[in-house]
Amino acid sequence: MWRRIVISTLLAILSSGVVLASVTVQASVSQTRIYDNQDLEYTISISGDVNNYPEIDLDNMKDWDVLSSGTTRNYTWINGQSNQSVDITYRLTPRSSGTLTIPSQTIEIDGKRHVTKSLQVQVLKSSQPQPQARATPPQGQRGSASADNVGKDDLFLEASVDKDTVYVNEQITLTIKFFRDVQPLQTPDYSEPTWTGFWKEDLPPQRTYAQRVNGQNYHVNEIKKALFPTAAGTHTIGSATIAVVVSERSRQDPFSVFNNFNSLFGRSKTVTLHSDPISVVAIPLPEKSQPKNFSGAVGHFTISSKVDKTKVEVNEPITLTLKINGTGNVKSIVPPDLPDLPDFRSYEASDNEKTERVNFELGGSRSIEHVLIPKRAGNYTLPGVQFSFFDPKSKSYQTVSTKPVAVEVTPASERFTSSLQNLQTNQLDLTAKDIRYLKSDIGELHGKRSDPLPTKPLAFLLYLVPVVGYLVVVQQQRRREKLASDLGLRRLKRARKMAEKRLSEAKQHLQGGEAEKFYAETHKSLIEYFADRFNLPAHGLTEEKIREFADGRPDGNLIDRMVNLLKQCDFGRFAPGGSEAEIMGKLWEDSRELIVEMEKQR
Amino acid sequence: MLFASSQAGINEDFQNGVKLYDQGDFQSSARQFQSIIDKGYSSAGLYYNAGCAYFKAGKLGQAIANFRRAQRLAPDDEDIQANLKFAQLFAVDKVDQTHSLLKDRITDYLGIISPNNYFLITFIAIVLLFGYLALRRIGYLRAGNIPVVILALVVVVSVSSMIWVLDENYLVKEGVIVANQTDVLSGPGQDFELQFEGHEGLRFEILDERSNYYLGLFANKLKGWVNKSDVVQI
């Protein structure tokens, strides 16, 4: 029971954290020193349980005009405890100069009175009015409205520059301000001036503030641009234009929240405002004492360099980073060239810029990375890189330089012999800035129409050569195979050859006077020739068989002659005594002639 | 014979062109190289140098035309490829780079070997193929069909590649606009409708021609007639 009571008490204490948190009220100002044409923010912060807070009327403000107010509400939950705060911000403009007091305010919350401190603000007299702080509505540089009900001082557009004479590439800050004393019904349509002859950079942020001109409070939208003349001479910044839709019915309080309701019942009208063009004289940079390596940078810069390593192997890339830092147009800087490095191959790897806008002055840095590849081992010093610029403040050229860097290169290990090729081609492709150089050799000259060989159909006949060669081989091979398989054909083919061989043997016998052998050989050559021709066994061939097998082919006459010659051989063999060389010679000649003629009739 | 005797003189003219280029007189250098081309000579180096000189002299159309001619003679030359690519970056009409990437890539890939070399490779493959078949027929070789299949494949691939490269680079007639700007019309005459404006360096395929006009097929698949006086044929 007691435990339950303790727990519920603890829970009640925890959950009532909001109630326990005390309410505090504080007042603060955005600036404690202002000019009498400026305004400031006065904030009353209430923190704690501020679900309900009373309306605060700043009735006791004697030195100040209250222009507007706004409320910001924050809600946080930290360690189980909720905390709320409300900031009520007022925009105040001074009614006079001197040390003015913002009196303390009394606020009653939940029956408890909270009193803020009174605050002192020093308001200076704007003795030298700045371009945006004119005592009277400016006439020359501004355009104004021409609507009937909307007065010409209710809306105007003003353009001004901080300098009207500058050096080429020196910054001019252009300020365009849109003053309005009436509430536009729509977002105004703004067109930028023309910038011919200038390099333009935006200078954010766009500012919105209140300004008092000639006792009239204006709501001001201000944008700034940094302009850099690109060439010497007089250049004109064109007119900025803004089209504003306003209610024709009545003047409205630009800070009133009821304007949109009013506009529902009034007729609207578009008012177009133009700012006047501004002429700027760009003076050329002095030629006298211009450094050789000067490439147009204007401003104030420093240069530094950095290498990623100081001990490398041959072919191992080193990254050398040059960084140019300062104020001026960093985007238009031409990076300085590296000095001649005969012992290194160098490639520009990257070029990055970073712009900064400090106090509406353009500046920043430019980083250029060079990849250096040592060709030989040794100890080298990378000389300092020089960078020259023109400083418009001192009206002189200045040259800054990086420190030399010592690099130790040791002979290459295998790792860096192969990777070199890749690195080179990649880097070169990335940085191709011009066409490649000429070829020194004209090469193989052709006639005018030097079309390649295969465009000529006749060339394709060449392809047929191996095919034809192959077909010939196949044909030959087939014949050989047929011969091998056909005995009769083989005998037929060799018939003459064999016959001639025997006849020449017979002739030797004739010359040797061996008549019997001569007749026998001649007989054999004739009989065997016939047998080969007709694929017959040579043994047992008689006159009748010869006539029977020949069967008129070759013609009968030749067969008659053969039979006759065979008879003569037989006669000679069996009666060799009577033989004379002359008869044998004729027999031999006749036999040879007969075979030749029979061959012809195949 | 005439060809051989004048070769020395041509080389002298060529070196003179190189010298003028080195001196920075790109227009004279271009004229010098052009005079050799006009005499009826051609080589990859000559067209390449003419292209370089024309480029430096600010004649982009002539530069691209000559680099393209050089590329036809030496498709595997890296310098030619690099300069052609570089010069095309300066063309106003960027359509060339965007069309049929796959086809271009295949052409670039196959173009590494020249048509003459494809012809030679095919011839050698045919000789080896039929030589092998013949030896096998005779019985000197007792190997299987694998070499036959491989050699036949080589023949087919080589012949196809040769036809592709020829078709892309030689059989197709190509034109390059050399005038700053020219009208691409719907018909061969000034009375026809203007299709679009072509600018210096724009390449197109020549499909047809009339006395004064070429019918071009442009990379954006549009067809149109261009006055011959504003164009050089590759």
Side-chain angles (χ1 to χ4, degrees):
Chain A
M1 181 67 195
W2 279 107
R3 189 187 277 177
R4 198 177 273 178
I5 293 168
V6 170
I7 288 173
S8 55
T9 313
L10 278 175
L11 276 174
I13 290 168
L14 276 175
S15 60
S16 63
V18 177
V19 178
L20 291 174
S22 62
V23 171
T24 56
V25 177
Q26 281 177 330
S28 62
V29 284
S30 58
Q31 282 158 291
T32 53
R33 247 164 90 106
I34 56 164
Y35 281 100
D36 57 3
N37 55 359
Q38 283 181 322
D39 54 281
L40 58 72
E41 280 179 0
Y42 175 61
T43 307
I44 296 172
S45 303
I46 305 164
S47 56
D49 182 20
V50 283
N51 282 324
N52 298 302
Y53 62 93
E55 257 191 43
I56 305 164
D57 43 24
L58 304 177
D59 283 345
N60 56 355
M61 291 273 182
K62 295 205 166 50
D63 301 330
W64 303 89
D65 282 329
V66 183
L67 296 181
S68 66
S69 66
T71 306
T72 327
R73 199 179 264 273
N74 295 307
Y75 187 82
T76 52
W77 182 273
I78 298 165
N79 294 336
Q81 203 170 57
S82 79
N83 195 17
Q84 294 183 54
S85 69
V86 175
D87 289 350
I88 309 155
T89 305
Y90 301 89
R91 201 163 267 283
L92 308 178
T93 51
R95 290 183 181 157
S96 60
S97 57
T99 304
L100 305 183
T101 306
I102 300 173
S104 62
Q105 306 295 330
T106 306
I107 302 151
E108 205 177 288
I109 301 170
D110 294 334
K112 201 177 168 193
R113 286 158 63 96
H114 299 267
V115 181
T116 65
K117 278 182 189 165
S118 69
L119 299 163
Q120 307 274 317
V121 177
Q122 200 180 2
V123 179
L124 305 171
K125 248 197 159 67
S126 52
S127 53
Q128 207 181 5
Q130 293 169 342
Q132 77 266 33
R134 288 166 201 274
T136 53
Q139 299 302 314
Q141 304 282 60
R142 79 168 206 212
S144 54
S146 56
D148 301 332
N149 300 36
V150 178
K152 96 177 180 177
D153 290 338
D154 292 337
L155 284 171
F156 57 92
L157 190 61
E158 182 189 291
S160 61
V161 288
D162 60 339
K163 289 170 253 181
D164 53 11
T165 306
V166 287
Y167 283 102
V168 169
N169 214 7
E170 184 188 347
Q171 180 177 334
I172 304 162
T173 309
L174 170 73
T175 309
I176 297 168
K177 293 205 236 176
F178 171 44
F179 289 81
R180 59 185 166 86
D181 195 11
V182 288
Q183 178 71 22
L185 300 181
Q186 293 171 10
T187 309
D189 187 13
Y190 169 70
S191 325
E192 292 210 316
T194 50
W195 318 105
T196 318
F198 295 96
W199 174 306
K200 181 209 77 176
E201 290 292 332
D202 291 333
L203 291 177
Q206 180 175 337
R207 292 208 306 151
T208 307
Y209 54 90
Q211 192 177 330
R212 195 177 171 84
V213 182
N214 271 2
Q216 193 170 332
N217 288 327
Y218 289 97
H219 196 105
V220 183
N221 294 91
E222 178 190 283
I223 52 172
K224 284 179 185 283
K225 306 271 174 186
L227 302 180
F228 299 87
T230 52
T234 305
H235 303 290
T236 305
I237 303 166
S239 303
T241 308
I242 195 160
V244 195
V245 180
V246 288
S247 163
E248 262 192 297
R249 216 160 136 178
S250 65
R251 266 196 63 192
Q252 297 161 339
D253 177 0
F255 307 106
S256 164
V257 291
F258 299 108
N259 288 338
N260 288 334
F261 292 106
N262 291 345
S263 64
L264 287 175
F265 308 105
R267 280 191 300 147
S268 69
K269 169 165 190 112
T270 303
V271 179
T272 307
L273 307 170
H274 301 277
S275 68
D276 287 342
I278 302 173
S279 286
V280 174
V281 178
I283 15 178
L285 299 174
E287 277 181 22
K288 209 185 141 193
S289 71
Q290 192 176 78
K292 263 190 185 169
N293 60 354
F294 177 71
S295 56
V298 174
H300 191 88
F301 300 98
T302 55
I303 188 168
S304 59
S305 71
K306 197 178 79 185
V307 289
D308 60 342
K309 31 198 148 144
T310 52
K311 196 173 170 188
V312 288
E313 293 176 11
V314 169
N315 288 338
E316 181 181 354
I318 308 169
T319 307
L320 169 70
T321 312
L322 294 178
K323 191 167 180 184
I324 299 169
N325 218 333
T327 51
N329 189 356
V330 284
K331 286 187 184 173
S332 71
I333 287 176
V334 178
D337 289 333
L338 285 190
D340 245 1
L341 298 167
D343 299 307
F344 294 84
R345 294 183 190 87
S346 71
Y347 309 102
E348 195 181 311
S350 72
D351 186 344
N352 296 307
E353 83 210 2
K354 200 174 137 193
T355 49
E356 286 166 5
R357 293 148 176 94
V358 180
N359 290 332
F360 298 112
E361 200 169 12
L362 192 73
S365 62
R366 186 85 173 258
S367 295
I368 304 110
E369 275 186 8
H370 291 270
V371 175
L372 303 177
I373 298 166
K375 296 181 194 165
R376 284 171 283 276
N379 287 317
Y380 301 101
T381 304
L382 304 175
V385 180
Q386 292 198 326
F387 177 67
S388 294
F389 59 90
F390 180 76
D391 186 351
K393 281 184 185 144
S394 66
K395 298 187 179 174
S396 64
Y397 289 101
Q398 294 186 18
T399 300
V400 286
S401 175
T402 65
K403 288 183 187 142
V405 182
V407 174
E408 187 190 338
V409 181
T410 53
S413 64
E414 261 182 35
R415 192 156 65 101
F416 291 105
T417 37
S418 55
S419 66
L420 176 68
Q421 204 61 38
N422 288 334
L423 181 79
Q424 270 179 310
T425 48
N426 288 342
Q427 298 296 343
L428 282 174
D429 281 346
L430 278 175
T431 56
K433 292 204 169 95
D434 195 5
I435 53 167
R436 295 189 184 183
Y437 182 67
L438 300 185
K439 295 204 182 286
S440 53
D441 187 15
I442 195 168
E444 193 191 342
L445 269 181
H446 309 276
K448 193 157 195 173
R449 289 294 295 170
S450 57
D451 284 339
L453 200 59
T455 52
K456 300 166 181 96
L458 275 182
F460 286 89
L461 286 179
L462 258 180
Y463 285 176
L464 290 179
V465 173
V467 180
V468 169
Y470 171 73
L471 291 178
V472 168
V473 168
V474 168
Q475 191 57 30
Q476 285 288 338
Q477 190 62 15
R478 278 208 187 129
R479 256 182 72 193
R480 208 164 290 151
E481 279 165 6
K482 200 171 171 192
L483 272 183
S485 62
D486 188 340
L487 178 68
L489 190 67
R490 209 162 69 219
R491 289 183 71 184
L492 180 75
K493 293 276 171 199
R494 65 167 200 198
R496 179 179 178 175
K497 210 169 158 189
M498 296 301 290
E500 277 178 351
K501 196 176 160 192
R502 290 199 183 98
L503 277 176
S504 74
E505 272 174 32
K507 192 163 193 182
Q508 279 173 10
H509 294 310
L510 174 69
Q511 283 159 351
E514 296 163 306
E516 196 179 337
K517 282 184 178 169
F518 165 75
Y519 284 120
E521 201 61 40
T522 308
H523 185 271
K524 199 176 171 189
S525 71
L526 286 170
I527 280 289
E528 289 204 348
Y529 174 75
F530 189 84
D532 282 343
R533 267 296 293 268
F534 298 98
N535 195 19
L536 301 168
H539 182 73
L541 269 182
T542 57
E543 183 187 333
E544 290 75 36
K545 278 195 174 160
I546 286 171
R547 286 188 191 283
E548 182 189 329
F549 282 114
D551 193 24
R553 187 176 50 90
D555 74 40
N557 181 28
L558 289 178
I559 297 300
D560 286 345
R561 276 165 68 186
M562 173 169 263
V563 171
N564 192 23
L565 285 172
L566 286 172
K567 275 181 181 164
Q568 282 183 47
C569 289
D570 283 339
F571 185 76
R573 275 159 75 190
F574 302 117
S579 300
E580 286 176 23
E582 205 176 313
I583 297 166
M584 288 194 290
K586 180 148 189 331
L587 175 67
W588 190 87
E589 285 294 335
D590 287 349
S591 303
R592 209 176 70 116
E593 214 169 273
L594 177 73
I595 286 168
V596 170
E597 281 180 42
M598 282 180 77
E599 275 297 301
K600 279 180 191 166
Q601 287 207 5
R602 258 167 74 167
Chain B
M1 194 58 211
L2 178 84
F3 209 71
S5 63
S6 54
Q7 170 103 34
I10 292 300
N11 259 329
E12 207 171 288
D13 288 352
F14 182 83
Q15 293 308 334
N16 199 18
V18 174
K19 214 161 113 191
L20 286 164
Y21 188 92
D22 287 347
Q23 289 164 2
D25 188 353
F26 302 121
Q27 293 209 347
S28 307
S29 174
R31 264 200 299 277
Q32 183 72 60
F33 290 127
Q34 187 61 53
S35 75
I36 306 173
I37 296 168
D38 291 344
K39 279 177 193 161
Y41 294 98
S42 67
S43 81
L46 178 59
Y47 285 136
Y48 172 84
N49 281 13
C52 291
Y54 273 123
F55 179 83
K56 285 286 193 184
K59 294 185 174 165
L60 186 65
Q62 285 284 8
I64 289 176
N66 279 291
F67 284 140
R68 203 48 205 118
R69 287 174 179 140
Q71 195 185 34
R72 285 189 163 192
L73 293 180
D76 46 353
D77 188 306
E78 261 187 43
D79 290 334
I80 297 169
Q81 286 168 16
N83 279 5
L84 178 60
K85 218 175 216 175
F86 190 80
Q88 279 174 340
L89 294 177
F90 289 79
V92 175
D93 306 303
K94 301 289 182 202
V95 280
D96 254 357
Q97 277 84 43
T98 55
H99 91 287
S100 182
L101 275 175
L102 178 68
K103 206 173 165 191
D104 281 355
R105 206 177 266 183
I106 294 173
T107 307
D108 284 353
Y109 186 69
L110 296 177
I112 291 169
I113 300 174
S114 73
N116 277 352
N117 286 338
Y118 275 124
F119 186 84
L120 192 68
I121 291 168
T122 311
F123 182 69
I124 291 170
I126 291 177
V127 168
L128 289 177
L129 174 63
F130 284 97
Y132 178 82
L133 285 174
L135 288 177
R136 211 169 66 161
R137 188 81 177 77
I138 294 167
Y140 282 139
L141 285 173
R142 298 223 175 272
N145 283 326
I146 293 168
V148 178
V149 173
I150 291 172
L151 286 167
L153 264 176
V154 170
V155 171
V156 170
V157 170
S158 173
V159 166
S160 323
S161 307
M162 178 171 70
I163 291 169
W164 180 290
V165 174
L166 279 175
D167 187 48
E168 282 294 303
N169 289 344
Y170 298 91
L171 303 178
V172 172
K173 281 201 282 180
E174 226 180 88
V176 177
I177 294 176
V178 289
N180 266 341
Q181 186 182 315
T182 187
D183 293 343
V184 180
L185 304 164
S186 63
Q190 281 302 323
D191 301 333
F192 288 92
E193 282 294 310
L194 174 71
Q195 306 264 76
F196 59 94
E197 280 166 352
H199 297 87
E200 189 173 18
L202 179 62
R203 274 159 56 186
F204 59 90
E205 185 184 332
I206 296 174
L207 298 177
D208 197 2
E209 59 182 296
R210 295 282 182 278
S211 59
N212 286 324
Y213 284 86
Y214 285 125
L215 172 61
L217 175 65
F218 294 85
N220 52 6
K221 297 284 170 211
L222 266 183
K223 285 183 188 179
W225 293 84
V226 192
N227 199 315
K228 278 185 182 175
S229 62
D230 293 340
V231 172
V232 288
Q233 194 188 326
I234 292 171

